[in-house]
Amino acid sequence: MRQFVPFYIASRHFSKANNKLAFGSWVSRIATFGLIITVSLLVVVLSVMNGFDKELRKTILSVIPHIQIIDEGGILDWEQKRSTILTNEEVIEVTPFNEINGLLVNKKLSQPMKILGISQSHIPNGIKTIIDNDGLNFPKFGQILLSQKVAKKLNIQKLDMVNLVIPETLDSSIEVHFFQIAGLFNSHSEIDKYIAISSLGQVGEIHGFQEEIFGFRLQIVDEFRARELGREIISKFPAGTGFRDWIQTHGNLHQAIQLSKRLIVLLMLLLVGVSVFNIVSMLMMSVLSKKRDIAVLQTLGFSRFQIIQTYMISGSMIGVFGIIIGVGLGISFCALIPTLAQWVEYLMDSKLLDTSVYPFDYIPVYIDVMDIVNVSSVAFIFTILASIFPAIRASKVSPAKELRYD
C-alpha cells in the first residue's frame, strides 16, 4: 500500500482547488493552458500540412502525369508501344495524348492555356473523376472543356465559341482555331488556370499529326521513382524521344510543403518547450512553498526516491491532462476548419485561398493518427524532463534544517 502514497499525494496536489499551488491555482492553470494551446496548435497545423500534401497527390498528381514520354515529331504505332509500357509492373496507367500551347481569346480578354488532347477510350482516372463530378460529357471534335475560373475570366459560358491562337514559330505562321465550350469543370486546384481538355484527334490535327501522337502520360505506383523509371522506359524508344516527370513541374510545390511542415513543427516544438518551462516554474514554486511539508513527510519515513516520485507524477498528471485536452481541441478545430473557412469567405466576400497563389482554393485537412501519437509522446517526454529538476530539488530538502524551530 505504501508504494501508492506518492501517487495519492500527487493526485491530491493536482485536484485540490483550495491548495495554493494545486491545479486550481492560477500558476498551475497557466502552465496547463500553455501546454493545451501548443498541443492543439501542433495537431491543427500538422493536419493542415498533411491535407495539402495528400491533396497534392490525390488531386494534382492524379491529373498531372507522373511521367510524360514525348516525341515532338510524333510517335507512330502508339498502341503497340502503349502495350509495351504497360508490361512494366510499376506502371498503373498509360494515356496517349496530344498537347499544344496557345492563347484563348474572347473579344479583348485572353488567357494562355495548354490544350490537352486525349482519347475517350483512354481517359486518365484523375481527369475522368473531374469530368464525372461535374456531370460533363467528353468533348466532341471542335469542342473543349474549360475550367469555371478561366471561363469567368474570359466572360464566356457553356456552348459559347472561343478562339485559340497558336503563336508563330520557325516552321509556321500564326494560326487561329475555333472551339465550342462543351462544359465547365472545377478541380479546385491550380490546374484549373492552365489546362483545357479536347479530343485527341482535334489537337493532333492542329499539330499536323495524322496517325501519330505527341506522347504518353504515365501514372506509376511510386511517384518518387518517376525519374529512374522514365529513363528506363525511354531507353526502349528510338532516339529523339524524351521524358518529363512531375518533379520538374511540381517538385518545388512538394518540397515547399515539406519544408513548411518541418519549420512549423520546429516552431511549435519551441512553444511546447516554453509551456513546459511554465511547468518547471510551477513545480519549483511548489517545492519552495512546501519545504516544511516535504520535511514532515521525510520524518514520517518518506524516502528521497518517493519524494522524487511524487513530483514526477505531479508533473506527469499536468502533462497528461494538457495533452488529452489539447489533442481533443485540436481534432475538434480540424473538423470545424471547412465551416469556419466558409464563414470567413462569406464575411469577406472573397476566397481565402486563390489558385493563382496557392495550389488549392480551399483548406484541406487530414488528421494522421501517427502525428497525434508523435506530438503527444514528445509533449509528454518534455513534461517528464521538466519535472526532473524540481523533483531532485524537493528530495534534497533537509528535515533538520526546515523543522529546527518546531
Side-chain angles (χ1 to χ4, degrees):
M1 190 68 183
R2 187 169 178 173
Q3 62 268 28
F4 296 109
V5 175
F7 179 82
Y8 174 75
I9 294 174
S11 61
R12 291 267 299 175
H13 182 261
F14 176 76
S15 60
K16 194 174 180 183
N18 61 2
N19 191 320
K20 290 183 179 180
L21 285 165
F23 180 69
S25 71
W26 66 272
V27 178
S28 183
R29 284 177 178 175
I30 289 174
T32 310
F33 182 73
L35 187 62
I36 289 171
I37 293 299
T38 50
V39 169
S40 60
L41 282 176
L42 260 175
V43 171
V44 171
V45 168
L46 285 174
S47 298
V48 171
M49 298 310 295
N50 287 335
F52 273 102
D53 189 51
K54 184 181 178 183
E55 289 301 307
L56 170 64
R57 302 187 188 199
K58 178 184 172 183
T59 303
I60 295 182
L61 289 185
S62 66
V63 177
I64 300 300
H66 298 159
I67 303 172
Q68 294 182 72
I69 307 297
I70 300 167
D71 189 340
E72 294 187 358
I75 299 174
L76 286 167
D77 196 17
W78 59 266
E79 290 184 351
Q80 182 181 350
K81 290 183 172 66
R82 177 178 180 272
S83 301
T84 302
I85 296 173
L86 281 171
T87 57
N88 192 309
E89 295 180 353
E90 295 186 69
V91 177
I92 301 172
E93 184 180 86
V94 180
T95 304
F97 78 100
N98 286 315
E99 181 182 282
I100 195 162
N101 296 316
L103 193 68
L104 286 179
V105 179
N106 180 46
K107 298 178 181 178
K108 295 182 179 181
L109 303 173
S110 62
Q111 172 72 21
M113 294 293 290
K114 180 181 292 184
I115 313 300
L116 176 65
I118 54 177
S119 169
Q120 188 171 2
S121 58
H122 299 105
I123 305 177
N125 290 329
I127 293 178
K128 188 175 187 303
T129 300
I130 293 174
I131 292 174
D132 292 344
N133 287 344
D134 291 312
L136 304 176
N137 295 319
F138 191 82
K140 299 176 182 178
F141 198 89
Q143 291 184 329
I144 194 173
L145 293 178
L146 205 59
S147 72
Q148 295 175 13
K149 185 177 291 293
V150 173
K152 183 178 180 180
K153 182 177 180 180
L154 295 178
N155 194 25
I156 52 178
Q157 299 176 353
K158 185 178 178 180
L159 302 181
D160 286 350
M161 299 298 294
V162 65
N163 302 327
L164 173 66
V165 179
I166 309 298
E168 183 180 6
T169 64
L170 293 175
D171 302 324
S172 61
S173 58
I174 294 176
E175 299 178 22
V176 180
H177 301 270
F178 302 96
F179 287 93
Q180 183 185 48
I181 308 300
L184 303 175
F185 63 84
N186 189 3
S187 71
H188 300 283
S189 67
E190 64 174 16
I191 61 177
D192 288 348
K193 64 184 180 183
Y194 61 82
I195 284 185
I197 302 168
S198 186
S199 64
L200 184 70
Q202 175 80 68
V203 181
E205 183 181 275
I206 296 173
H207 253 302
F209 292 157
Q210 294 183 3
E211 300 296 328
E212 311 98 307
I213 61 169
F214 188 73
F216 296 104
R217 297 162 55 94
L218 278 62
Q219 303 296 122
I220 61 177
V221 176
D222 182 4
E223 61 266 24
F224 293 102
R225 271 192 35 83
R227 190 150 296 177
E228 293 83 354
L229 196 58
R231 293 193 184 100
E232 179 184 329
I233 290 172
I234 65 165
S235 65
K236 301 174 183 178
F237 279 76
T241 305
F243 81 96
R244 290 195 297 257
D245 58 52
W246 72 273
I247 297 174
Q248 292 172 270
T249 57
H250 288 78
N252 289 339
L253 173 59
H254 180 264
Q255 290 174 1
I257 291 174
Q258 296 303 314
L259 179 61
S260 300
K261 182 178 177 180
R262 293 189 189 102
L263 290 175
I264 291 172
V265 168
L266 179 60
L267 179 61
M268 291 295 107
L269 286 177
L270 290 175
L271 291 178
V272 171
V274 172
S275 64
V276 165
F277 180 77
N278 291 334
I279 295 175
V280 175
S281 302
M282 186 272 293
L283 291 175
M284 283 302 300
M285 290 174 67
S286 175
V287 171
L288 294 173
S289 66
K290 292 182 177 293
K291 282 185 176 182
R292 290 173 58 82
D293 297 331
I294 295 169
V296 170
L297 286 174
Q298 288 178 316
T299 60
L300 293 175
F302 240 50
S303 66
R304 287 190 171 185
F305 179 70
Q306 286 177 309
I307 298 292
I308 292 174
Q309 272 187 314
T310 302
Y311 273 88
M312 293 288 287
I313 293 171
S314 182
S316 300
M317 284 182 173
I318 293 174
V320 169
F321 181 80
I323 290 167
I324 291 174
I325 300 299
V327 168
L329 284 177
I331 293 174
S332 301
F333 190 76
C334 286
L336 291 173
I337 283 178
T339 305
L340 292 173
Q342 289 177 358
W343 273 100
V344 172
E345 288 176 350
Y346 175 77
L347 293 173
M348 295 174 60
D349 195 25
S350 64
K351 280 283 186 182
L352 276 176
L353 303 181
D354 189 346
T355 52
S356 62
V357 179
Y358 301 97
F360 307 102
D361 64 0
Y362 59 96
I363 302 176
V365 178
Y366 175 67
I367 300 173
D368 189 343
V369 176
M370 282 308 301
D371 277 344
I372 292 177
V373 171
N374 291 335
V375 168
S376 303
S377 301
V378 170
F380 184 70
I381 290 170
F382 276 17
T383 306
I384 294 293
L385 294 175
S387 306
I388 292 175
F389 180 69
I392 293 174
R393 285 293 299 270
S395 70
K396 291 182 178 180
V397 170
S398 172
K401 181 178 178 181
E402 297 300 328
L403 303 175
R404 65 181 180 273
Y405 298 115
D406 294 336

